Amino acid sequence: MISIPTTRTLGGALAAALVLGLGAGGALAQNAPKEHASTPGAAYEPSLNTLAQIGVELPGRKPGDPVMTPAEYNRANTIYFERCAGCHGVLRKGATGKPLTPDITRELGYEHLKDFITYGSPAGMPNWGTSGELTDEEVDMMARYPLLDPAAPPEWGMPEMRASWKVIVPPEKRPTKKMNDIDIDNLFSVTLRDAGQVALIDGGTYEIKAVIDTGYAVHISRLSASGRYLFTIGRDAKVTMIDLWMDPPATVAEVKIGTEARSVETSKMKSWEDKYAIAGAYWPPQWVIMDGETLEPLKIKSTRGMIYDEQTYHPEPRVASIVASHFRPEFVANVKETGKTLMIDYTDLKNLRITEIETERFLHDGGFNSTGRYFLVAANARGKVAVIDTKEDKLVALVETGGQTPHPGRGANFVHPVYGPVWATSHLGDESVTLIGTDPEGHPDNAWKVVQTLYGLGGGSLFVKTHPKSHHLYVDAPLNPDPEVSGSVAAFRIEDMTQEEPEYTVLPIAEWAGIAEGQPRVVQGEFNREGTEIWFSVWNASDKESAIVVVDDKTLTLKKVIKDPRLITPTGKFNVYNTRHDVY
Ligand code: DHE
């Protein structure tokens, strides 16, 4: 463990390396297709792997169409969905990347497209050809593909949802009290990404209590308000509902709400506890409200519509983060491409009321402030954090973070020694950690302003974390190209934040894990219920050993390394109590 006096120079150099795409080896998803490997920022663009597995029809031939066999078209389509659709959109109408509809691509022509795919562009297009990611033959195929009409992947409405819906244990057959001796409040649900499973690990004994099959490349876990049910969402849009009262905890219901998805949440408002669940999809662009006990799909709403500022039509606005309001019986759903935050009132699904807030484009992840009233969400490609007042249902501020591509996870709340209550986010594109004042009543001068910028280990950070009882703010950097940095975590002492550029302690988490092979990345800290320990995933390739490293918050020393052959590619961890009560 070493203390770094100031890290700005180190961080600056790394940030430059990130922007230039120097030496950024390895894709984000350790075993997924080599997604956009040129820069970590690009590596973080969605890969629509499930959609890529669906066979698509070769569009009817039009005059001037390049020759493509159905087999070639399907192969090209798979590559497109896995590597290109995240930026250019499933229907090629553009998202963070440019539109690639035939009217545009035909104007550009085959040779131009081929060069573009081969060499990339300074604006962020990876150099697929010269990097060796695509063969010459694939580059040729991918230059012909966008000249044809876009493939239209299938919709997923109520008939498809109902056909996928399974109640494995009906509510009347479930236990009426907790049947196991697990301390549920201190249980961690750990994403085993490439295994498509979650491991339920006891926060007191570090024992794996159950490993449960979930959706493909499972993404996040969320809890019902009572804490009894755990919900997971797979990238294949499968929602899995696990009853933590059973012995051992087991899946009681599942449903597929689309083809690609990333978010799930449950109703939290008083007297609506455990009543509903909601999940948001990337494809088709929609969200669905489900029964909170059985996952029966009840209400599906498409997000297709106008972009908030330009007021032009977007055919596939993806649903990013969803949280449950504590002030109203509402879900807060963030729609990426149209830049809208939807406050979905769930009290009357027949006469649905939605307050549509014009927020900012490219909304991604976010979390509440410490009072639970304000929701702060990153419009990551715009370098901003939007602040939504969930009591008044309106946008109160759009804060420029000053860093490149904010990525807060749910963020981190703590009381700053000078500025009062703040919320923190780190950045994908540089080493900065931005602290935003969140107390409009007690500290009105600082509210919704950047009050301080800290400098962490380097760019490529995904998550920050603290706990009301902790004296530290932890910042990871899993996408940093330097293995020493991606294998470490910076721990800032909150008391030291009176200094302009406070020191931090480097925790060599990957080294502590003692893993001999591979290049594991250290990702997403999560506290135990008591706020005395923080757990980090040491995320290695699926055929290599991974681990979870537990750090003592007070002394910043290693407390425990959890290893088990079942811990395949651990990433996100969700402590039941903290997730349930939005403690972060
Ligand atoms: Fe995530 C949260 C989307 C890649 C780990 N991720 C989220 C959320 C969204 C999202 C919309 C917010 C959900 C919510 O709160 O309702 N993630 C995406 C992507 O589109 C992206 C960039 C690419 C993809 O193809 O999926 C992506 N995410 C990843 C990873 O590669 C990570 C690091 C490892 C993994 O397991 O896949 C990853 N994302 C996470 C985690 C959270 C998350 C751990 C929840 C953090 C939390 O503290 O709540």
Side-chain angles (χ1 to χ4, degrees):
M1 199 170 28
I2 40 169
S3 274
I4 304 269
T6 170
T7 53
R8 221 170 162 172
T9 334
L10 166 75
L14 286 168
L18 288 175
V19 173
L20 297 170
L22 300 176
L28 166 62
Q30 306 270 14
N31 271 2
K34 287 184 197 144
E35 297 152 71
H36 320 87
S38 347
T39 66
Y44 202 60
E45 291 298 341
S47 174
L48 307 181
N49 300 36
T50 320
L51 208 52
Q53 287 156 25
I54 292 175
V56 286
E57 292 268 315
L58 178 64
R61 223 176 123 62
K62 290 205 305 277
D65 272 0
V67 177
M68 260 192 136
T69 65
E72 260 188 329
Y73 186 71
N74 255 303
R75 258 186 71 214
N77 200 68
T78 301
I79 294 178
Y80 180 80
F81 282 166
E82 284 181 349
R83 303 177 181 209
C84 319
C87 291
H88 298 286
V90 169
L91 302 172
R92 307 209 315 248
K93 292 263 171 75
T96 45
K98 296 227 160 75
L100 292 173
T101 41
D103 53 322
I104 296 165
T105 53
R106 285 181 181 226
E107 192 74 21
L108 297 171
Y110 167 84
E111 287 300 335
H112 178 99
L113 292 168
K114 193 172 157 207
D115 286 351
F116 207 62
I117 297 168
T118 306
Y119 301 108
S121 80
M125 171 78 170
N127 54 332
W128 297 106
T130 50
S131 66
E133 298 255 344
L134 295 182
T135 63
D136 288 350
E137 182 233 342
E138 285 170 332
V139 170
D140 160 58
M141 191 171 74
M142 294 314 291
R144 282 180 287 142
Y145 170 81
L147 297 168
L148 294 170
D149 283 342
E155 297 297 320
W156 195 268
M158 195 51 93
E160 291 80 13
M161 263 183 225
R162 288 194 84 86
S164 75
W165 174 46
K166 286 187 205 138
V167 180
I168 298 144
V169 185
E172 62 279 10
K173 298 232 168 91
R174 294 179 200 159
T176 49
K177 57 179 181 21
K178 187 160 86 77
M179 300 306 284
N180 56 51
D181 58 1
I182 301 171
D183 175 7
I184 290 183
D185 265 351
N186 201 20
L187 195 67
F188 285 71
S189 173
V190 178
T191 298
L192 303 179
R193 190 193 188 282
D194 294 2
Q197 295 174 321
V198 288
L200 303 182
I201 307 184
D202 189 308
T205 62
Y206 311 118
E207 192 192 328
I208 298 179
K209 294 288 185 183
V211 174
I212 296 175
D213 288 337
T214 56
Y216 170 83
V218 57
H219 198 194
I220 63 164
S221 296
R222 294 287 186 249
L223 269 299
S224 70
S226 71
R228 171 175 183 173
Y229 293 112
L230 177 78
F231 295 77
T232 66
I233 183 92
R235 279 182 170 74
D236 57 357
K238 190 203 257 189
V239 183
T240 305
M241 178 176 176
I242 298 162
D243 185 354
L244 298 177
W245 279 11
M246 285 165 67
D247 189 21
T251 300
V252 289
E254 58 185 41
V255 67
K256 217 165 122 52
I257 60 105
T259 325
E260 286 280 344
R262 303 291 185 273
S263 48
V264 66
E265 179 58 300
T266 67
S267 52
K268 297 264 165 66
M269 189 62 191
K270 210 167 166 351
S271 80
W272 292 88
E273 292 97 340
D274 294 21
K275 178 97 176 113
Y276 292 124
I278 183 172
Y282 273 13
W283 186 269
Q286 62 192 24
W287 46 265
V288 54
I289 295 181
M290 297 153 282
D291 181 88
E293 287 219 300
T294 62
L295 289 185
E296 179 181 7
L298 302 173
K299 185 86 188 179
I300 311 168
K301 279 285 285 178
S302 171
T303 54
R304 291 183 171 114
M306 297 294 171
I307 299 172
Y308 87 95
D309 50 356
E310 291 169 6
Q311 306 212 29
T312 53
Y313 181 72
H314 200 288
E316 47 172 312
R318 290 173 265 205
V319 181
S321 47
I322 305 182
V323 293
S325 169
H326 301 282
F327 283 81
R328 290 167 180 253
E330 288 179 345
F331 292 119
V332 183
N334 295 285
V335 188
K336 255 180 209 283
E337 283 77 11
T338 48
K340 292 173 184 173
T341 301
L342 308 177
M343 314 299 281
I344 305 163
D345 182 326
Y346 48 71
T347 53
D348 183 357
L349 299 187
K350 285 265 176 242
N351 302 287
L352 198 68
R353 276 189 306 270
I354 301 174
T355 305
E356 191 182 281
I357 301 177
E358 291 184 359
T359 308
E360 180 54 293
R361 293 181 72 180
F362 310 118
L363 300 173
H364 193 72
D365 52 350
F368 285 107
N369 75 325
S370 58
T371 64
R373 172 167 171 178
Y374 298 97
F375 177 68
L376 294 98
V377 56
N380 57 10
R382 289 278 156 97
K384 291 180 192 162
V385 164
V387 184
I388 308 286
D389 181 349
T390 63
K391 193 171 171 195
E392 301 288 336
D393 276 9
K394 58 180 193 206
L395 177 75
V396 288
L398 263 179
V399 186
E400 300 246 10
T401 63
Q404 204 185 329
T405 322
H407 191 282
R410 282 167 288 171
N413 287 296
F414 59 92
V415 180
H416 190 283
V418 180
Y419 303 108
V422 295
W423 178 91
T425 181
S426 57
H427 293 83
L428 254 163
D430 61 39
E431 76 278 31
S432 61
V433 181
T434 299
L435 309 186
I436 297 171
T438 59
D439 180 19
E441 273 156 33
H443 298 79
D445 292 350
N446 301 331
W448 322 129
K449 291 189 187 129
V450 175
V451 293
Q452 190 174 19
T453 302
L454 314 173
Y455 298 94
L457 287 165
S461 175
L462 290 178
F463 301 105
V464 288
K465 192 57 61 90
T466 186
H467 183 279
K469 291 201 187 138
S470 169
H471 292 275
H472 296 109
L473 171 70
Y474 297 86
V475 184
D476 69 7
L479 298 187
N480 195 281
D482 179 341
E484 236 177 86
V485 174
S486 66
S488 303
V489 162
F492 289 90
R493 231 184 124 67
I494 292 167
E495 280 82 349
D496 293 346
M497 291 183 191
T498 46
Q499 298 157 27
E500 202 180 321
E501 279 192 25
E503 294 183 4
Y504 59 77
T505 304
V506 181
L507 309 180
I509 304 286
E511 194 187 307
W512 284 348
I515 288 171
E517 272 187 89
Q519 199 194 353
R521 296 168 192 275
V522 172
V523 68
Q524 205 245 10
E526 175 77 345
F527 268 89
N528 64 345
R529 186 206 180 311
E530 290 304 320
T532 53
E533 300 173 347
I534 181 163
W535 294 27
F536 290 98
S537 297
V538 184
W539 173 22
N540 212 342
S542 64
D543 58 349
K544 306 224 157 43
E545 188 178 51
S546 287
I548 288 170
V549 166
V550 181
V551 176
D552 183 88
D553 175 63
K554 206 167 178 188
T555 58
L556 297 183
T557 53
L558 173 66
K559 196 154 178 191
K560 174 81 186 169
V561 178
I562 308 173
K563 282 188 185 171
D564 190 290
R566 291 171 292 175
L567 285 184
I568 298 163
T569 58
T571 54
K573 297 160 297 304
F574 305 88
N575 173 273
V576 167
Y577 183 90
N578 295 337
T579 308
R580 195 178 147 202
H581 296 284
D582 288 305
V583 178
Y584 37 78

